[in-house]
Amino acid sequence: MTTKGEKMKQKGISLIALIITIIVIIILAAISIFSVGKVVEKSRYAKFCADLDAVQEAVNQAYGTAVLEEAKKTEEQKNSQQIYRELAGGEEMSYREKILYQMTNEEKLGIKLPTYGSNKWYLDPETGDVYLLYGFEYEGKVYRSKTDIQGGGKESDYAKFHDVIVVDVPAGAIPVEHNGTNWVIADKNSDWYDYREDAKKWANVITIDNDVRSTYLSKPAGTVITDEEFENDVIGMFVYIPRYAYKITSNLHNGGTAGNIDIVFINKQNRDNEGKEYKEEYPETTGTGTATGSMNDFVVHPAFTDNLNNGGWSKDLNGIWVSKFEASSSETKLEDDGSTESVTVIGKGKISTNIGAQYGWSGNSNNTSEYVTIRPNVASWRMIDITDIVSKSREMAKKHGLTNSTSHQMKNNEWGAVAYLAHSKYGNMSVYNNSYYEGEGGYYTNITGMSGDTQNDGNSSIKVEKTYNSDGSIIIKYNNNASKVFYPYNHTSGYRGSTTNNIYGIYDLPGGAWEFVAAYVTNSSGT
């Protein structure tokens, strides 16, 4: 027998049960909405694939019939690239080591081009492949062409950011990436570089000694370059600085105080990855010479432009390759340190042998076989006059087997292009000074790629003891009882001397040996 109250409990719905029911309904509703959203996205992606097929078919038909027949009738012999360019009809665009042409001639194509916001259709004159330049995003991937669809697309954040970064790998150079222990030959068709703020993986290439160059050029991607091979065969390392526009937002021309620098990567048409165009004319400024001094707008950095009067080139550049370390001489070798100084050496390490008089003071100005190398852990090239700096810098590309490249002494605005990128969020805003040197008295030189425990570490006292540690670091004791630790470029503590605070940056930017840039100064001072 039950009471009246107990019966009510059996028939009614408790508050807790009601809340659970509502939660279940909400969860089911969310799942339902999510499912509908996925169906819509899938249908949009299916439409994009169909549109891409239709545009590609229109190109194939136009190229294979009317346009081709018309080309045959003309006296001018046209190749397939010319026909494709005329078929596209629009402006040229640089895209990932390709030159594409915007498709604007709908009449010749015989199709109304599908609209995808401000996104434009482009044609590759080499292959006839169609691209939706900034692509279609679906499930975290970006698809631009039939090749992308077949290959599964590109991770969207990476693809969008790198749309405008074109890394031109010089013929004869080998792209590399680091696996944490060794350098490895990279696959040019992979994402072997990543300039995003959280990666700072600037593109690196190596060049190889002529005697073994062909062997290395034939090695497949993924091949590890051992420490011994790196020491014996690599004669150059270079880092890529992509084209960008910049804006200084504080401390503009404010004495020795560094300003804040914003960077936007752009293509040769001066457009960012959203299609916004940037100017090459320097903008108006406000508060110049004060902490609030800033530029009112971005400007394309002149190191990449065709403005010869402003330090540019005869043509626009996608970017520039810069020496990873200070220049060294091909005559400098890595050998076991038996100590050529009056110091006690503990442990065993490799350091540059003395050349010429002492440590980097070559004096071989007339030695035509001696050429510039770019290597870590060797003596910077000190004893060389400005005429030889210019001539040996110009011949370096040929000496390094870079058949389609030119080389030269760094210009002052190119040094600035590296410094500005390093001082942005895409670099290391506090690059450590290279203050490690070998030699004593008037004959000494810095060792490339080294850095200390503090940003401006150094000691002018006489060295009395040198200890090589198993991790590659070097401890120096001085006659004033001071002791300092220095690190090579590939030590994690040595990364502080890099423009990226990792192994992928440029070293020796501050400090090191004397630094010369090609500059034109309009004043009367002899210095």
Side-chain angles (χ1 to χ4, degrees):
M1 186 173 180
T2 59
T3 64
K4 184 178 178 182
E6 289 172 332
K7 287 181 179 179
M8 288 179 66
K9 287 180 183 177
Q10 288 177 347
K11 292 180 180 180
I13 301 175
S14 70
L15 180 60
I16 293 175
L18 180 61
I19 291 171
I20 292 172
T21 304
I22 292 170
I23 291 172
V24 170
I25 292 170
I26 291 171
I27 292 171
L28 289 174
I31 292 171
S32 176
I33 292 168
F34 180 72
S35 299
V36 171
K38 286 196 72 173
V39 169
V40 172
E41 279 299 299
K42 191 171 183 179
S43 64
R44 289 182 65 243
Y45 176 64
K47 180 182 180 301
F48 163 71
C49 292
D51 286 343
L52 180 60
D53 282 339
V55 177
Q56 186 68 68
E57 182 60 26
V59 169
N60 295 344
Q61 289 294 328
Y63 174 78
T65 54
V67 175
L68 194 57
E69 290 302 316
E70 184 180 337
K72 288 178 180 178
K73 293 176 185 177
T74 61
E75 292 182 6
E76 181 186 4
Q77 190 71 28
K78 295 182 180 180
N79 59 33
S80 60
Q81 291 186 40
Q82 290 173 309
I83 296 170
Y84 276 133
R85 283 199 295 269
E86 291 178 6
L87 179 61
E91 65 175 4
E92 176 185 304
M93 174 72 75
S94 297
Y95 172 72
R96 295 203 174 199
E97 299 189 24
K98 297 177 182 292
I99 299 296
L100 307 180
Y101 289 85
Q102 186 181 346
M103 298 169 65
T104 59
N105 199 332
E106 292 182 333
E107 186 177 346
K108 269 191 177 182
L109 287 167
I111 187 176
K112 176 73 174 174
L113 291 170
T115 302
Y116 283 85
S118 59
N119 218 334
K120 305 297 181 185
W121 294 94
Y122 280 79
L123 184 62
D124 182 352
E126 294 278 349
T127 62
D129 291 337
V130 168
Y131 288 80
L132 184 66
L133 191 66
Y134 297 117
F136 183 91
E137 186 173 355
Y138 174 61
E139 292 190 340
K141 296 288 186 71
V142 171
Y143 302 85
R144 297 182 177 82
S145 65
K146 298 194 74 170
T147 302
D148 278 353
I149 291 171
Q150 293 162 1
K154 291 281 187 182
E155 184 252 314
S156 61
D157 287 343
Y158 181 91
K160 288 177 182 177
F161 189 90
H162 290 86
D163 267 335
V164 294
I165 295 178
V166 179
V167 178
D168 297 314
V169 178
I174 299 172
V176 291
E177 51 189 337
H178 203 265
N179 65 7
T181 304
N182 296 102
W183 289 97
V184 178
I185 296 176
D187 180 359
K188 283 199 298 184
N189 297 315
S190 70
D191 300 334
W192 59 286
Y193 54 84
D194 189 348
Y195 285 83
R196 288 178 295 180
E197 181 182 358
D198 59 349
K200 299 178 183 177
K201 186 180 178 182
W202 297 5
N204 279 241
V205 297
I206 58 172
T207 53
I208 303 296
D209 182 82
N210 182 59
D211 291 342
V212 290
R213 186 176 297 142
S214 59
T215 301
Y216 277 83
L217 289 172
S218 63
K219 289 184 177 183
T223 301
V224 171
I225 302 172
T226 66
D227 289 340
E228 184 178 5
E229 290 174 323
F230 194 85
E231 288 182 8
N232 294 334
D233 301 334
V234 175
I235 59 173
M237 290 199 77
F238 302 89
V239 180
Y240 195 68
I241 307 297
R243 186 182 181 103
Y244 66 79
Y246 73 93
K247 178 182 179 182
I248 299 176
T249 59
S250 71
N251 287 304
L252 181 64
H253 304 312
N254 185 22
T257 306
N260 292 316
I261 302 175
D262 287 346
I263 296 290
V264 178
F265 293 107
I266 55 176
N267 59 21
K268 283 201 289 190
Q269 287 70 39
N270 295 335
R271 294 176 186 159
D272 64 17
N273 57 8
E274 294 180 348
K276 180 180 177 181
E277 189 170 351
Y278 294 82
K279 296 181 180 179
E280 296 184 11
E281 294 78 30
Y282 197 80
E284 292 183 357
T285 60
T286 57
T288 302
T290 67
T292 59
S294 65
M295 296 160 52
N296 288 345
D297 201 356
F298 285 83
V299 63
V300 179
H301 198 286
F304 310 104
T305 72
D306 62 355
N307 185 345
L308 290 172
N309 293 326
N310 200 22
W313 279 84
S314 57
K315 62 180 181 179
D316 281 294
L317 302 175
N318 288 316
I320 55 175
W321 286 100
V322 177
S323 299
K324 191 174 181 72
F325 307 100
E326 279 190 339
S328 52
S329 165
S330 58
E331 299 296 314
T332 304
K333 306 299 180 186
L334 278 172
E335 291 184 3
D336 291 338
D337 189 349
S339 183
T340 52
E341 302 174 60
S342 56
V343 298
T344 301
V345 176
I346 301 174
K348 192 175 184 181
K350 290 192 173 183
I351 207 69
S352 304
T353 57
N354 55 333
I355 54 176
Q358 283 259 17
Y359 303 105
W361 292 74
S362 170
N364 295 329
S365 299
N366 298 317
N367 182 357
T368 56
S369 64
E370 186 177 20
Y371 59 90
V372 174
T373 56
I374 309 298
R375 296 175 289 154
N377 306 320
V378 294
S380 297
W381 199 344
R382 292 287 298 273
M383 190 63 173
I384 181 171
D385 61 35
I386 190 66
T387 303
D388 285 336
I389 289 174
V390 172
S391 62
K392 289 189 180 295
S393 295
R394 286 178 176 173
E395 72 177 14
M396 187 177 68
K398 183 178 180 181
K399 294 283 188 181
H400 286 240
L402 304 176
T403 55
N404 67 339
S405 303
T406 59
S407 58
H408 62 271
Q409 179 191 3
M410 179 176 261
K411 296 182 290 184
N412 55 333
N413 68 353
E414 291 165 338
W415 192 96
V418 176
Y420 279 20
L421 185 58
H423 197 67
S424 74
K425 65 181 181 181
Y426 302 113
N428 175 10
M429 293 190 183
S430 57
V431 181
Y432 274 29
N433 186 23
N434 180 347
S435 54
Y436 181 85
Y437 66 90
E438 288 286 333
E440 298 293 347
Y443 297 100
Y444 66 91
T445 190
N446 289 83
I447 301 301
T448 58
M450 302 288 287
S451 63
D453 261 331
T454 62
Q455 189 163 359
N456 294 300
D457 214 347
N459 196 308
S460 58
S461 301
I462 297 172
K463 290 183 283 187
V464 295
E465 187 175 279
K466 182 195 305 182
T467 303
Y468 286 98
N469 298 319
S470 58
D471 64 354
S473 62
I474 302 173
I475 301 174
I476 302 293
K477 290 185 178 179
Y478 301 88
N479 64 347
N480 62 357
N481 294 321
S483 180
K484 293 184 178 295
V485 185
F486 296 91
Y487 305 92
Y489 88 104
N490 55 353
H491 191 290
T492 52
S493 293
Y495 293 169
R496 295 175 294 195
S498 159
T499 56
T500 53
N501 204 17
N502 61 36
I503 202 167
Y504 288 101
I506 294 167
Y507 292 75
D508 306 326
L509 197 62
W514 290 351
E515 292 158 352
F516 291 89
V517 293
Y520 180 73
V521 182
T522 55
N523 62 28
S524 58
S525 172
T527 57

